[in-house]
Amino acid sequence: MRIFTASLGTESNTFAPTATCLDDFREMVFLRPGEHPDDAPRMCTATLWAARRRAARDGFTLVEGSCFAASPGGRTNRQDYEFMRDEILAQLRAAMRVDAVLFGLHGAMVAFGYDDVEGDLLERARAIVGEDCIIAVEYDPHCHLTRKRVALSDIVVMYKEYPHTDTVERADDLIDILLATWRKQVRPVMAVYDCRQIAATPTTDPQMRRFVDWAKSLERHPILSVSIGHSYPYGDMPELGARILVVADSDPVAAARVATEIGEAFVALRGRIGHRYHDVDAAIDAALAREGAPIVITDPADNAGGGAPSDNTTILRRLIARGIGDAAVGPIWDPMAVRNCFAAGLGARFALRFGGKTGIASGVPIDATVDVIGLARDGVQTYGPSRSFLGDMAGIRVGGVEVVLNAARSQALGSELFTNVGIAPRGKKLLVLKSSNHFMAGYGSFIAGVVHAHSDGLLRRDDFRLIPYTQVARPIWPLDEETSPGLLEIS
Ligand SMILES: [Zn+2]
């Protein structure tokens, strides 16, 4: 048996004042055949990583294609998308004949000229391999699960956890079903329930935890896999929204029944899951009043993981203005400031302008006398089983606050964000993290509490009705009160 695998992914915020190009992929994941390191999977590459481990044991030949992934940001450059797509398709053509294609995709990528990038890739891949070849895809639950993609795929599995700590387990699930299909032990059929809702639903929330565990308990014969697509609120496209996908063995009625059961339960959770947000000063007050340390203040409105620039200065500005010390903030994306810090050198005290550059939602830059307290080239942070990249980094002290500046835009995931530049996050009273919930994978074990702030950054987390959608199909909750959730026709 021959399996071809490749990865392509980013999460495209169609409201972002940035665009994504090959340089952004080079900063994160840009690996040609055979180049993927063995230490850990990267963003969207758990499929390749898991398949490489299983090939000998499970008796298949793995043909590795390229892996491309970039941090969430604005739409991808059209020519750059076509370059990556065509490289993968040329590798697939050269690998023929293959019995299966295994894709690691994010699922919320938009390029200029392509609203449904993954649908385009799958359509062209299917045209190469034909109807008999098995196409199996792993997605992030923040994907747009379009009908076109489902129709073009045989097996779809999404990560279940948010933070996404189970990318390898889900890749193994996908490969299990793929192999059983090839051995004719199962015949996968899929059903999709459209919840007609936009929501942010971290699995660290107790209700969401119970919901995911319950949905997972339904994975017993004839149900092979259940996936909960949360929705990605910042990719304005017609099929944006939460969707439940169920894979069953030869039993479309059971697939539809279970998808409906999970979908109706997810709809019933509307408005009951999600964080409570404070304005910036109230968040600082609440965090200072909490017992223990460190207390995390999140800045989800400026979360690079949702495609925001990660250079909004509002929370930091308030910490400085209020004279609050014993705090650390990160990461603020500012390649120019990082370069200036490297030029000034470790221990230098100098006047630096940083942050507040990318767009209106970045606020204004901070001009301050800073001390350079740490410098690191090519910073890496841990994210569950995976590695993520921060680029060159500088740690600075401004007033009593220590700040991490980085050159490769990324959200706060692992505590190496701070330790790379000599800042000890465990010793601080306040940690301001530009992240919504993924940081919990790296910080959850040692922090004393979390307060969610709502700054004037790009992303509305508090009320999706305030996002200026023009493309999403209506009605959809919470933009509309009356909606009609139900099973989707997949042809
Ligand atoms: Zn995600």
Side-chain angles (χ1 to χ4, degrees):
M1 183 191 195
R2 283 165 63 79
I3 301 178
F4 173 82
T5 187
S7 293
L8 177 63
T10 183
E11 187 179 60
S12 303
N13 183 325
T14 57
F15 303 101
T18 53
T20 301
C21 67
L22 280 186
D23 290 339
D24 298 288
F25 288 84
R26 285 197 181 95
E27 268 180 4
M28 198 56 64
V29 179
F30 198 89
L31 299 165
R32 270 37 196 275
E35 290 180 0
H36 197 297
D38 250 332
D39 59 347
R42 270 51 176 169
M43 181 182 175
C44 297
T45 71
T47 37
L48 181 147
W49 199 79
R52 197 188 263 181
R53 258 141 207 81
R54 298 183 57 164
R57 167 160 53 97
D58 288 315
F60 60 86
T61 300
L62 185 69
V63 183
E64 294 186 8
S66 294
C67 297
F68 303 114
S71 262
R75 285 182 181 83
T76 296
N77 174 296
R78 178 179 187 138
Q79 289 76 23
D80 288 354
Y81 161 58
E82 290 172 345
F83 168 82
M84 295 183 282
R85 175 196 71 192
D86 293 347
E87 178 168 312
I88 290 170
L89 294 174
Q91 292 162 344
L92 174 58
R93 227 174 266 114
M96 292 296 284
R97 158 186 174 98
V98 300
D99 301 289
V101 176
L102 179 63
F103 278 130
L105 307 177
H106 179 288
M109 182 171 173
V110 177
F112 288 100
Y114 296 91
D115 272 356
D116 184 0
V117 159
E118 292 80 358
D120 177 60
L121 175 69
L122 289 168
E123 186 170 42
R124 291 166 192 271
R126 180 60 85 189
I128 293 169
V129 300
E131 288 302 317
D132 294 337
C133 180
I134 305 162
I135 294 186
V137 187
E138 184 181 38
Y139 288 113
D140 186 293
H142 300 111
C143 64
H144 307 297
L145 186 68
T146 65
R147 277 168 286 206
K148 178 178 180 180
R149 295 180 202 178
V150 179
L152 288 161
S153 311
D154 297 286
I155 313 160
V156 170
V157 171
M158 298 178 204
Y159 324 144
K160 287 187 172 67
E161 301 298 325
Y162 172 34
H164 306 323
T165 51
D166 63 332
T167 56
V168 173
E169 285 107 306
R170 299 292 82 80
D172 276 322
D173 292 351
L174 183 65
I175 295 166
D176 286 342
I177 301 170
L178 189 165
L179 293 173
T181 305
W182 184 70
R183 291 169 185 146
K184 307 254 188 284
Q185 293 159 341
V186 300
R187 186 176 65 83
V189 292
M190 297 193 286
V192 178
Y193 185 92
D194 187 347
C195 300
R196 303 307 306 145
Q197 68 192 35
I198 306 171
T201 49
T203 56
T204 44
D205 178 288
Q207 288 189 88
M208 188 63 183
R209 178 76 269 147
R210 281 195 295 277
F211 173 69
V212 171
D213 290 343
W214 165 73
K216 188 162 170 36
S217 76
L218 303 176
E219 289 178 337
R220 54 179 189 264
H221 181 78
I223 304 302
L224 300 170
S225 171
V226 306
S227 290
I228 300 161
H230 294 210
S231 80
Y232 172 58
Y234 311 106
D236 188 12
M237 64 180 295
E239 293 191 69
L240 159 63
R243 288 180 171 177
I244 309 297
L245 180 140
V246 172
V247 189
D249 176 14
S250 311
D251 192 341
V253 176
R257 188 186 67 241
V258 172
T260 302
E261 191 180 352
I262 298 172
E264 288 177 349
F266 203 26
V267 169
L269 289 174
R270 283 180 187 176
R272 291 167 54 194
I273 296 175
H275 303 137
R276 182 171 159 241
Y277 297 97
H278 304 261
D279 71 32
V280 170
D281 277 298
I284 295 170
D285 291 339
L288 289 172
R290 294 280 279 272
E291 291 284 323
I295 305 294
V296 166
I297 299 175
T298 67
D299 187 4
D302 192 33
N303 171 21
S310 194
D311 69 344
N312 179 285
T313 52
T314 300
I315 297 179
L316 174 58
R317 187 179 298 285
R318 290 305 301 153
L319 291 175
I320 296 169
R322 292 177 57 171
I324 293 166
D326 203 12
V329 178
I332 290 184
W333 179 54
D334 193 332
M336 189 189 296
V338 170
R339 185 180 169 141
N340 282 335
C341 290
F342 270 89
L346 190 61
R349 170 172 293 188
F350 74 120
L352 179 68
R353 169 171 286 200
F354 66 96
K357 293 198 177 74
T358 307
I360 290 168
S362 300
V364 290
I366 290 181
D367 288 283
T369 299
V370 307
D371 293 298
V372 180
I373 58 173
L375 295 168
R377 293 284 182 197
D378 297 322
V380 176
Q381 58 180 341
T382 305
Y383 178 45
S386 184
R387 301 271 181 282
S388 182
F389 304 102
L390 292 153
D392 292 345
M393 309 171 65
I396 58 172
R397 187 179 296 117
V398 47
V401 185
E402 295 176 341
V403 181
V404 178
L405 307 173
N406 72 325
R409 208 170 45 79
S410 175
Q411 70 174 304
L413 294 170
S415 56
E416 302 97 328
L417 169 67
F418 294 102
T419 57
N420 285 343
V421 287
I423 298 171
R426 289 166 197 264
K428 301 287 182 226
K429 173 62 182 177
L430 302 183
L431 283 180
V432 178
L433 301 181
K434 289 187 182 285
S435 176
S436 296
N437 200 58
H438 282 317
F439 73 91
M440 286 296 284
Y443 294 79
S445 65
F446 70 86
I447 58 176
V450 181
V451 175
H452 299 283
H454 204 287
S455 75
D456 53 350
L458 181 70
L459 310 180
R460 299 293 327 193
R461 300 294 300 193
D462 54 337
D463 188 348
F464 295 131
R465 290 173 299 182
L466 299 174
I467 297 176
Y469 295 110
T470 59
Q471 300 301 309
V472 63
R474 307 286 289 267
I476 190 164
W477 182 87
L479 315 186
D480 305 291
E481 279 303 319
E482 294 293 320
T483 62
S484 308
L487 287 166
L488 286 183
E489 288 286 335
I490 309 287
S491 52

